[in-house]
Amino acid sequence: MMFYQTKKNQTVYSNILGIIQLILLSCIFVSANLAAMPAPKASGGELNLTHWKFSADGTVRLEGDWQFYWKQFVLPNSTGDINDDSIGVPGSWNGHQLKDNGIVTGHGYASYRLNVLLPEETSKLALKIIDIGEAFRLYVNGRLLHSGGEIGTNSDQSQPAFARSVILLPTDIGKKLNIVIHVSNYHYHSGGLWEHISLGEVGAIQSLHELSLGYAMFLAGSIGIIAFYHIGLYTQRRQDSSPLYFAIFCIAMAIRILTVDERYLNQLIPSISYSMLIKIEYLSFLLAIPALAVFITNLLPGSYPRWMPRLTIILGFIFSGVVMLTPVSVFSDLLRLFQVYLVTSLCFGVYVFIRSVKEHRQVAKGFLFGFLVLAAASLNDILISLGIFRTPVFLVGAGILSFILIQSYSFSLRFTRAFTKVETLSRELEDYANTLESKVKQRTKELELVNRKLEQQVSIDGLTGIANRRGFDTLLNHAWAGHSRRVAYLGLVMCDIDFFKTYNDTYGHLKGDEVLTKVAQCIEETLHREADTAARYGGEEFAILLPDTHLEGAVIMANKIMRYAA
């Protein structure tokens, strides 16, 4: 039965993991759909879409090499100043090498230009922009269509802001788009066109925007629900704090998704400042890491060196303090350090879960699988942000959701096993309580029997088998009290063996013991009434208690004993 139950649990656990994997793949599929299908890339500041059919092929990302003008705000209506410098979009301009061998720093201003050749027949088009760092103005064919913050040539003039939006293009754009974007950055550690810009028909762009927003809300909402579920678990059983820390981790991740994905928090709170939004973005993962570390230490105690979680928690609070107390220009320069801290913490988690699997901890495999998904998704996005490679989608949102779902199920399985054990113990306790009364009665009878036997053993002489001095005293007291009440005769005969010491010394103690035993037998055989009692009073002395016997009867009994023992 137990084997069958174990196999059944393993089957259910495998099915649940399969469902969670399906959810992960679905999230990745949605994320992939948020990216445009493979399309032509810009080269030398020009993107040829003459053969692109927006109605059939969908939206297109304006990726590739854009013309780049460092320390210049070119005229938006110019059709193409001679410029051999180009830069890859999307991406940061940090570290970009100019044609004159200069190196672009994080802070500064520049212009981006892209000429887009459109097909002959096009419907009404729109652009979707995500993040441009950090202040910008976007011109199409010389017209200012959108802006974010205030651009400037120094830190006093430049004012940062996020301005994700869908931009409807004029109907008279013709067959060519001359896109010019002025960008300035004096507050964040990196600047430029961080994210891709999508071009497509209005309906497709709006659908893409709604799908991106819905995806972010789905992730944040799902994670938020799981957070409140674990808070409920903690309120029901405060002895185990691991659900509370897991809930804190979930809340931090939900806030991060609302802050980063589509900058939805900025839409919910339009008055929120740029610096506050960036601080929340950083704090959401810097505080999530210590919460996750405490969760792991409470969940799997003893599976790690003690200094590892302590160091993780201390660094997390130190870095969080730096973010809260310094401006964006200072703490954003520490992003690489924060990313190293994140990767190191993920390695700590992987180490702990692998060790717990080797120790055959409960549901450790599920925890390990979920954490590996989170680690892989986080590493993917870190490598993208570093510009090492660029995959079509960011996976951290789907990775976080999958990790939380797997951990939640493993948590539930852990609690289910605990509750099952409690129910089993309750049933056993109830059964034991039902039989306890009968067991007590049975044990009481057994103890009474044992006590009687002990009393008998204490009152019987071990050599002769008749009552000893203690037994005799007890019988005499009872008999005396009873006969006094009744005013009846009580006979007592005292006798000893003559010359016993000499016999004992001459023939030895064994022969002396035989004499004592035989005399006791003779006395016992002489007594015929059940109430008459013989006892060994001490050494070779004997006492015979004769209830309801007067003096003459006691003398007769004494003479009879002497004749029988002679």
Side-chain angles (χ1 to χ4, degrees):
M1 181 65 181
M2 182 62 68
F3 174 76
Y4 171 76
Q5 189 69 21
T6 302
K7 295 290 290 183
K8 183 179 180 180
N9 290 338
Q10 291 176 350
T11 303
V12 172
Y13 189 63
S14 301
N15 292 337
I16 295 296
L17 287 181
I19 294 173
I20 294 174
Q21 291 175 14
L22 181 61
I23 294 175
L24 172 61
L25 294 176
S26 300
C27 292
I28 295 175
F29 176 74
V30 172
S31 301
N33 283 339
L34 298 178
M37 63 176 292
K41 302 291 184 181
S43 177
E46 183 175 280
L47 177 61
N48 188 347
L49 296 179
T50 55
H51 299 291
W52 187 265
K53 296 181 180 180
F54 288 102
S55 59
D57 299 333
T59 61
V60 60
R61 288 182 174 180
L62 306 182
E63 297 180 344
D65 294 331
W66 290 45
Q67 288 184 333
F68 184 68
Y69 303 84
W70 179 242
K71 298 289 185 180
Q72 298 180 55
F73 286 144
V74 300
L75 296 175
N77 56 358
S78 62
T79 57
D81 299 336
I82 298 176
N83 181 33
D84 295 332
D85 200 359
S86 62
I87 189 172
V89 174
S92 168
W93 66 35
N94 291 43
H96 174 69
Q97 185 171 357
L98 302 171
K99 291 298 183 181
D100 60 1
N101 293 324
I103 301 297
V104 177
T105 60
H107 293 171
Y109 63 97
S111 297
Y112 288 79
R113 185 203 305 279
L114 179 68
N115 292 317
V116 182
L117 305 180
L118 300 175
E120 290 294 328
E121 298 181 1
T122 57
S123 301
K124 188 173 178 59
L125 299 179
L127 292 171
K128 181 181 184 297
I129 63 171
I130 305 178
D131 282 345
I132 296 178
E134 58 182 14
F136 71 95
R137 290 182 180 177
L138 186 147
Y139 300 87
V140 176
N141 292 350
R143 302 178 186 178
L144 177 62
L145 297 185
H146 196 56
S147 65
E150 293 293 336
I151 62 172
T153 57
N154 56 57
S155 59
D156 295 331
Q157 296 177 352
S158 182
Q159 299 297 323
F162 288 113
R164 294 190 175 195
S165 181
V166 173
I167 306 166
L168 301 181
L169 299 182
T171 56
D172 58 347
I173 57 175
K175 305 303 176 186
K176 182 178 180 180
L177 297 180
N178 178 30
I179 302 175
V180 175
I181 304 178
H182 294 166
V183 183
S184 66
N185 175 50
Y186 288 94
H187 296 83
Y188 201 62
H189 77 96
S190 62
L193 303 185
W194 299 331
E195 303 292 344
H196 59 268
I197 299 175
S198 298
L199 173 65
E201 294 181 346
V202 174
I205 290 293
Q206 289 178 340
S207 297
L208 180 62
H209 175 71
E210 293 171 358
L211 183 60
S212 301
L213 187 59
Y215 178 62
M217 293 177 64
F218 165 74
L219 291 178
S222 301
I223 295 173
I225 292 173
I226 294 173
F228 285 110
Y229 167 73
H230 284 85
I231 291 176
L233 289 179
Y234 171 72
T235 58
Q236 297 300 316
R237 188 172 182 271
R238 296 178 182 269
Q239 295 89 342
D240 184 7
S241 59
S242 51
L244 175 63
Y245 292 109
F246 189 70
I248 294 174
F249 170 77
C250 293
I251 292 173
M253 290 296 96
I255 293 175
R256 177 170 178 79
I257 290 172
L258 292 176
T259 306
V260 176
D261 291 7
E262 293 297 315
R263 301 291 179 186
Y264 187 61
L265 189 61
N266 196 18
Q267 300 180 40
L268 291 176
I269 312 174
S271 60
I272 191 171
S273 65
Y274 170 85
S275 61
M276 180 58 67
L277 199 64
I278 294 295
K279 285 178 182 289
I280 294 175
E281 176 184 342
Y282 275 65
L283 288 173
S284 60
F285 89 88
L286 287 176
L287 292 177
I289 295 174
L292 186 61
V294 178
F295 162 70
I296 294 174
T297 56
N298 280 272
L299 184 69
L300 301 169
S303 296
Y304 45 81
R306 291 184 177 180
W307 61 266
M308 293 177 68
R310 292 177 181 175
L311 180 62
T312 302
I313 295 168
I314 291 173
L315 289 178
F317 283 109
I318 291 176
F319 292 155
S320 299
V322 171
V323 171
M324 289 187 289
L325 299 175
T326 59
V328 175
S329 57
V330 174
F331 71 76
S332 64
D333 287 335
L334 302 176
L335 177 61
R336 299 294 176 258
L337 176 62
F338 297 159
Q339 290 175 337
V340 171
Y341 167 63
L342 172 61
V343 173
T344 304
S345 301
L346 291 174
C347 293
F348 156 68
V350 171
Y351 163 78
V352 171
F353 285 122
I354 289 178
R355 184 170 176 177
S356 63
V357 170
K358 291 183 178 179
E359 294 174 353
H360 303 288
R361 296 285 188 97
Q362 284 188 356
V363 298
K365 292 182 179 179
F367 281 110
L368 175 62
F369 174 74
F371 201 82
L372 288 176
V373 171
L374 175 63
S378 301
L379 185 61
N380 171 80
D381 288 13
I382 289 174
L383 293 177
I384 291 176
S385 66
L386 293 175
I388 297 177
F389 69 88
R390 179 165 290 275
T391 57
V393 293
F394 286 92
L395 299 177
V396 70
I400 291 172
L401 179 60
S402 299
F403 167 73
I404 290 175
L405 286 175
I406 294 172
Q407 306 312 310
S408 298
Y409 174 73
S410 300
F411 234 135
S412 301
L413 187 60
R414 181 167 169 256
F415 273 96
T416 300
R417 290 178 175 175
F419 289 146
T420 302
K421 186 176 181 180
V422 169
E423 290 176 352
T424 302
L425 292 175
S426 298
R427 286 195 297 269
E428 292 178 354
L429 183 60
E430 184 178 356
D431 295 339
Y432 180 77
N434 293 332
T435 58
L436 182 60
E437 185 175 355
S438 60
K439 288 183 178 180
V440 169
K441 291 180 179 179
Q442 181 180 355
R443 291 294 176 86
T444 302
K445 291 180 179 179
E446 293 175 354
L447 288 175
E448 291 176 351
L449 179 61
V450 170
N451 287 334
R452 285 196 297 269
K453 290 181 178 179
L454 288 175
E455 290 177 357
Q456 292 177 356
Q457 291 176 358
V458 170
S459 301
I460 299 300
D461 181 61
L463 176 63
T464 61
I466 61 177
N468 58 16
R469 173 68 177 271
R470 180 176 179 178
F472 171 76
D473 291 342
T474 301
L475 292 172
L476 178 61
N477 289 333
H478 285 302
W480 184 268
H483 284 69
S484 297
R485 287 194 302 270
R486 293 186 291 112
V487 191
Y489 289 102
L490 176 62
L492 175 63
V493 178
M494 299 293 295
C495 59
D496 65 357
I497 302 174
D498 293 338
F499 310 110
F500 179 76
K501 185 176 184 307
T502 304
Y503 182 88
N504 198 46
D505 293 340
T506 303
Y507 297 101
H509 294 291
L510 293 179
K511 291 293 184 179
D513 291 344
E514 289 180 4
V515 170
L516 291 174
T517 302
K518 289 181 179 180
V519 170
Q521 290 176 352
C522 290
I523 296 174
E524 279 280 289
E525 292 173 358
T526 305
L527 302 177
H528 298 295
R529 293 187 306 173
E530 185 176 353
D532 297 340
T533 304
R536 184 181 177 188
Y537 194 74
E540 71 276 14
E541 297 175 338
F542 294 89
I544 300 94
L545 192 61
L546 303 171
D548 297 310
T549 303
H550 47 70
L551 179 60
E552 291 79 3
V555 172
I556 293 171
M557 182 58 67
N559 292 327
K560 185 177 180 180
I561 291 173
M562 284 191 298
R563 289 196 301 271
Y564 191 78

